[in-house]
Amino acid sequence: MLMTLGRTQLTVDKDGLGALPLQRASVPEAIRLIQAVVDAGVTYLDTARMYSDSEAKLGLALAGRRSSVTIATKTRALTAEGVEKDLHESLRLLQTDYIDVYQLHNPDFLPDEGHEIYQALARAQQAGKIRFIGYTNHKVHLAEAAVESGLFDTLEYPLSFLSDEREVRLTQLCAEHNVGFIAMKALAGGLITDVGLARRFMNGLENVIPIWGLQRMSEVEALIGARRQDGDRSLSEEDQANIAAEKSQLGDDFCRGCGYCLPCPADIVIFQAARTSLMIRRAPGTYWFSDEWRNEMDKIDHCIRCEACKSRCPYGLDTPELLKRNLADYRQVLSGLSK
């Protein structure tokens, strides 16, 4: 199933690859995974300069295959010099002389046309080093403003069937402005475990390409299986009922796992600890009950209530309170297991 990515006129497969998790795979494993995904027909590959060796792994895997894929990467630089430095390094590691979609990576502001980082992007575009300019963010008001500014060809934003109405309307705003919509966190950071249902939701959004974060061949096989089984099928009435039940169960007060709450002065792994109650029920595994994770959860006792995490949360969550509730529930679950 193919789609056109907004005004870029890039034709891409409706499923994309999010390369952040490739950091956690060995080089041979990552190469095998990337090539399997591309062999399955996926053509849009999204990475970032800050994803440690993700770009390098993509560069190795795509040797001799550059013309058959669309590559997107990102910079978190806040100066023209920083943008130019990041772009040079991305081109080197990706083993290419151009980037299809080059994105500003979750800035806490919207640069205007005269800002030095946007000027650096424009110069790189004129030089043929990048083809299109994109913007990524986790804050809906900045995402809306970016689309309406007319400065960006694409928007990357967290979207799943757990998203609220305003976030889903953002896809329509992109369609109205002919801006390509790239959906990160289509599985809500692991809270959604039904890949087929998540994919059918995305199929119903014609101008949206989800980038699935994959790090294991079993996950690649699950995606390929969903593609074969469902093709371009969208949500059924039963699917819609299941999604309504999921949203009702979760509510709005849950951690999406974006990680922008970090760093923590108490060394708490906030983006996992704040949703442990959900993960042990929705994606159970032995790790959540290991000594290692128990020690991580115990760090919540040493929270100094600085509330830096709360101020950074793009979803406006009361993160310290959420951590406190998760710890209490986790310990109750552990006490039940020990009986």
Side-chain angles (χ1 to χ4, degrees), residues 208-242:
V208 176
I209 176 172
I211 48 172
W212 307 102
L214 308 174
Q215 71 180 79
R216 301 180 184 87
M217 284 305 299
S218 59
E219 295 167 346
V220 174
E221 290 161 3
L223 176 61
I224 292 173
R227 286 165 63 88
R228 287 174 178 163
Q229 180 174 333
D230 292 327
D232 60 359
R233 184 161 65 94
S234 56
L235 295 174
S236 65
E237 289 186 8
E238 181 181 356
D239 287 336
Q240 292 171 2
N242 288 336

Side-chain angles (χ1 to χ4, degrees), residues 106 135 137-148 155 157-158 164-171 173 181 314-315:
N106 198 49
Y135 184 83
N137 218 276
H138 288 250
K139 295 181 178 178
V140 68
H141 73 279
L142 285 176
E144 290 166 342
V147 174
E148 292 171 340
L155 172 72
Y157 185 83
D164 63 30
E165 291 182 10
R166 184 176 178 184
E167 291 173 318
V168 175
R169 282 200 304 270
L170 188 55
T171 67
L173 186 67
F181 192 111
Y315 302 97

Side-chain angles (χ1 to χ4, degrees), residues 173-188:
L173 186 67
C174 282
E176 291 164 9
H177 290 266
N178 205 15
V179 171
F181 192 111
I182 302 132
M184 60 170 131
K185 297 193 178 296
L187 295 176

Side-chain angles (χ1 to χ4, degrees), residues 22-283:
L22 294 180
Q23 301 170 98
R24 300 187 285 272
S26 68
V27 172
E29 288 170 339
I31 290 173
R32 180 174 169 234
L33 184 152
I34 295 162
Q35 292 179 344
V37 168
V38 173
D39 287 344
V42 172
T43 59
Y44 189 90
L45 314 174
D46 179 276
T47 183
R49 180 78 290 278
M50 72 171 291
Y51 296 167
S52 63
D53 62 356
S54 173
E55 289 178 323
K57 288 168 177 171
L58 279 170
L60 291 169
L62 297 174
R65 309 176 78 163
R66 175 65 181 93
S67 61
S68 64
V69 297
T70 297
I71 295 178
T73 192
K74 314 177 190 77
T75 177
R76 294 201 74 183
L78 298 177
T79 65
E81 182 181 2
V83 170
E84 291 162 3
K85 180 181 177 182
D86 276 0
L87 177 56
H88 176 79
E89 187 68 358
S90 292
L91 290 168
R92 183 183 72 83
L93 293 171
L94 288 163
Q95 300 185 34
T96 184
D97 55 4
Y98 69 97
I99 305 294
D100 294 292
V101 181
Y102 197 61
Q103 305 160 104
L104 295 180
H105 195 172
N106 198 49
D108 60 4
F109 68 102
L110 181 67
D112 59 27
E113 196 169 7
H115 195 287
E116 64 175 294
I117 59 173
Y118 192 87
Q119 288 290 304
L121 295 175
R123 287 193 297 272
Q125 189 177 41
Q126 291 168 1
K129 295 180 181 180
I130 64 177
R131 296 179 66 189
F132 302 102
I133 298 172
Y135 184 83
T136 82
N137 218 276
H138 288 250
K139 295 181 178 178
V140 68
H141 73 279
L142 285 176
E144 290 166 342
V147 174
E148 292 171 340
S149 73
L151 296 177
F152 300 97
D153 302 305
T154 63
L155 172 72
E156 185 171 318
Y157 185 83
L159 187 76
S160 73
F161 64 63
L162 297 177
S163 298
D164 63 30
E165 291 182 10
R166 184 176 178 184
E167 291 173 318
V168 175
R169 282 200 304 270
L170 188 55
T171 67
Q172 279 303 114
L173 186 67
C174 282
E176 291 164 9
H177 290 266
N178 205 15
V179 171
F181 192 111
I182 302 132
M184 60 170 131
K185 297 193 178 296
L187 295 176
L191 294 180
I192 296 172
T193 56
D194 189 335
V195 175
L197 181 59
R199 188 174 175 276
R200 291 192 295 277
F201 169 78
M202 291 295 174
N203 282 349
L205 302 170
E206 293 182 1
N207 64 318
V208 176
I209 176 172
I211 48 172
W212 307 102
L214 308 174
Q215 71 180 79
R216 301 180 184 87
M217 284 305 299
S218 59
E219 295 167 346
V220 174
E221 290 161 3
L223 176 61
I224 292 173
R227 286 165 63 88
R228 287 174 178 163
Q229 180 174 333
D230 292 327
D232 60 359
R233 184 161 65 94
S234 56
L235 295 174
S236 65
E237 289 186 8
E238 181 181 356
D239 287 336
Q240 292 171 2
N242 288 336
I243 287 174
E246 291 269 290
K247 295 179 77 169
S248 175
Q249 180 185 44
L250 279 173
D252 298 320
D253 189 23
F254 65 92
C255 174
R256 277 74 167 176
C258 69
Y260 287 105
C261 47
L262 299 176
C264 170
D267 198 31
I268 302 167
V269 187
I270 300 171
F271 71 97
Q272 291 285 40
R275 58 188 190 142
T276 295
S277 290
L278 291 171
M279 297 304 289
I280 61 178
R281 292 170 174 85
R282 301 176 70 88

Side-chain angles (χ1 to χ4, degrees), residues 261 270 274 305 309-311 313 317-324:
C261 47
I270 300 171
R305 300 292 299 196
C309 53
K310 182 177 178 179
S311 67
C313 179
L317 299 177
D318 186 345
T319 315
E321 182 61 28
L322 197 56
L323 287 169
K324 182 180 176 182

